[in-house]
């Protein structure tokens, strides 16, 4: 048997109430986790309080040329279908010759690639590796909402309060 009810839907809450009533009748306590699976999520979690992702991208570039950063396609991260994401900005970008062996040989090109007007970096002659650390923001989430930032106490408190606000009425406020 597989339950096809939407998480926290009115029908789901009716089943929760029935389970709670049955447990109470038998002198038992109903215990449940406040989520629809791992990681927990909710449609009330704001973008600001949602979990974000940091991605490392490496590009092999042969110069001389101007390298322009390709945009991250909406709804995809690293080629896999994910929640809708937005580019939250470049945290770090470094260019180095393929033969570089010392940290001093890395060129910081973060500012050049982070510009909003014609972002690009001049790559000198030869083979180079361009490494970019980019922040991806969870803009939309999936049908069950966004995942709260587990390292943000305010986000977790907001998630738990939102969950309680939705479940408490189905249980006559007895959580």
């Amino acid at each position: 048997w597989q339950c096809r009810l939407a998480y926290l839907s009115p029908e789901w809450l009716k089943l929760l109430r029935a389970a709670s009533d049955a447990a109470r009748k038998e002198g038992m306590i109903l215990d449940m986790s406040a989520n629809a699976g791992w990681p927990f999520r909710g449609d009330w979690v704001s973008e600001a309080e949602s979990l974000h992702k940091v991605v490392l991208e490496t590009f092999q570039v042969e110069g001389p040329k101007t390298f322009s950063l390709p945009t991250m396609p909406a709804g995809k991260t690293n080629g896999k279908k994910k929640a809708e994401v937005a580019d939250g900005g470049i945290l770090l970008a470094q260019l180095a010759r393929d033969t570089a062996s010392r940290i001093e040989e890395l060129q910081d090109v973060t500012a050049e690639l982070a510009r909003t007007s014609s972002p690009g970096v001049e790559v000198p002659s030869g083979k180079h590796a361009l490494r970019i650390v980019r922040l991806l923001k969870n803009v939309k989430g999936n049908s069950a909402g966004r995942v709260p930032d587990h390292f943000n106490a305010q986000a977790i408190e907001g998630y738990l309060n939102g969950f309680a606000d939705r479940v408490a009425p189905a249980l006559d406020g007895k959580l």
Side-chain angles (χ1 to χ4, degrees), residues 17-159:
R17 173 62 187 253
S20 175
D21 289 347
R24 192 174 292 117
K25 181 179 173 186
E26 297 297 322
M28 299 170 62
I29 295 172
L30 177 66
D31 186 18
M32 61 177 280
S33 59
N35 67 73
W38 185 255
F40 51 89
R41 61 185 73 235
D43 59 3
W44 59 91
V45 175
S46 70
E47 178 185 334
E49 292 185 345
S50 70
L51 193 60
H52 300 323
K53 180 177 185 176
V54 175
V55 178
L56 172 65
E57 300 170 294
T58 300
F59 299 93
Q60 301 302 322
V61 185
E62 186 155 355
K65 72 183 274 183
T66 301
F67 177 86
S68 295
L69 184 63
T71 58
M72 179 70 69
K76 300 224 179 228
T77 58
N78 293 342
K80 298 178 183 175
K81 184 74 174 136
K82 295 284 187 189
E84 187 174 326
V85 296
D87 189 343
I90 295 172
L91 303 176
L92 177 68
Q94 294 180 328
L95 180 68
R97 288 196 174 276
D98 273 357
T99 57
S101 60
R102 297 185 346 247
I103 197 161
E104 295 84 13
E105 296 176 80
L106 300 176
Q107 178 187 354
D108 186 343
V109 293
T110 307
E112 291 89 336
L113 284 176
R115 282 193 311 244
T116 54
S117 60
S118 67
V121 62
E122 294 301 320
V123 178
S125 183
K127 294 181 180 181
H128 294 77
L130 177 62
R131 291 182 183 83
I132 300 168
V133 179
R134 190 185 329 211
L135 176 67
L136 300 180
K137 293 183 176 182
N138 186 346
V139 176
K140 186 177 177 187
N142 65 20
S143 61
R146 293 184 188 96
V147 176
D149 180 351
H150 299 83
F151 300 105
N152 178 334
Q154 181 179 339
I156 296 303
E157 183 177 355
Y159 170 80

